[in-house]
Amino acid sequence: GAVVSQHPSRVICKSGTSVKIECRSLDFQATTMFWYRQFPKQSLMLMATSNEGSKATYEQGVEKDKFLINHASLTLSTLTVTSAHPEDSSFYICSAGTGLSSETQYFGPGTRLLVL
Amino acid sequence: AQSVTQLGSHVSVSEGALVLLRCNYSSSVPPYLFWYVQYPNQGLQLLLKYTSAATLVKGINGFEAEFKKSETSFHLTKPSAHMSDAAEYFCAVSDGDEKLTFGTGTRLTIIP
């Protein structure tokens, strides 16, 4: 199946700093990429949907200025957590899709962020 | 808007026994339905999906699920549990806009 990578897999940062997480589709062109947040022992919550070359669409309650998403190419999307705080600590997962709702989204392995 | 309900946040079965994980959905349009598995500290892996073709869908690792419109259900089953099946399982629904709505997940434990 298709492969999606995320980098880094784990990051620890100080409160107030910014952290960038990369999501890459390695063997297909991802028209759409999704960013999810998962709290311990909970489900995935969709944060935003990004389409290549356009602004991301954020879900209700997600701060656009806090979580900056850039989808610069058909194989790369980045999520930047700006001015991170301990409450931003979480597991962030991206997925990539081909633009067809009946098709599978391919998920990255996730990035665990710990803000001290 | 669509939603998914997974009954039972924790399910324990003995090795070799039947696995049944329940999922009920709500959707205003014919849904696309998915089951994903998540191992600790990893992303999600697709087990199977229903996209309006055959109502009985076979997936990887011996799992299958049956779409029952009258019951708005898409339960996941496996005839014989294996220790390696221990993981978190998520049911998800899409109503055609490519967004996935996930259930709260079911943690499957296999008893030796």
Side-chain angles (χ1 to χ4, degrees), chain B residues 29-55:
Chain B
V29 299
Y32 299 124
L33 293 158
F34 306 81
W35 274 100
Y36 286 89
V37 61
Q38 184 181 33
Y39 296 100
N41 297 310
Q42 295 186 29
L44 275 66
Q45 180 182 5
L46 179 72
L47 280 177
L48 48 81
K49 63 179 180 181
Y50 167 77
T51 57
S52 75
T55 57

Side-chain angles (χ1 to χ4, degrees), chain A residues 32 34 36 38 41-44 46 49 59 91 93 97-105 107-109 112, chain B residues 32 34 36 38 41-46 49 51 88 90 94-100 102-105 107:
Chain A
T32 309
F34 302 85
Y36 296 86
Q38 185 179 31
K41 299 183 180 180
Q42 294 188 30
S43 189
L44 281 72
L46 180 64
T49 303
E59 296 300 302
F91 194 50
I93 303 175
T98 58
L100 298 175
S101 58
S102 61
E103 292 298 316
T104 306
Q105 286 184 27
F107 284 80
R112 186 160 300 284
Chain B
Y32 299 124
F34 306 81
Y36 286 89
Q38 184 181 33
N41 297 310
Q42 295 186 29
L44 275 66
Q45 180 182 5
L46 179 72
K49 63 179 180 181
T51 57
E88 187 87 18
F90 292 96
S94 169
D95 66 359
D97 65 356
E98 207 183 5
K99 287 184 187 178
L100 287 174
F102 285 88
T104 51
R107 182 169 299 277

Side-chain angles (χ1 to χ4, degrees), chain A residues 38-105:
Chain A
Q38 185 179 31
F39 291 101
K41 299 183 180 180
Q42 294 188 30
S43 189
L44 281 72
M45 301 299 296
L46 180 64
M47 299 174 66
T49 303
S50 72
N51 293 291
E52 186 264 340
S54 62
K55 290 184 177 180
T57 302
Y58 290 80
E59 296 300 302
Q60 191 173 6
V62 178
E63 299 176 59
K64 301 178 183 180
D65 297 331
K66 175 85 175 158
F67 299 100
L68 300 179
I69 292 173
N70 185 306
H71 194 157
S73 75
L74 285 172
T75 59
L76 174 63
S77 176
T78 60
L79 167 67
T80 301
V81 183
T82 62
S83 187
H85 288 93
E87 57 265 30
D88 298 325
S89 299
S90 192
F91 194 50
Y92 293 89
I93 303 175
C94 73
S95 72
T98 58
L100 298 175
S101 58
S102 61
E103 292 298 316
T104 306
Q105 286 184 27

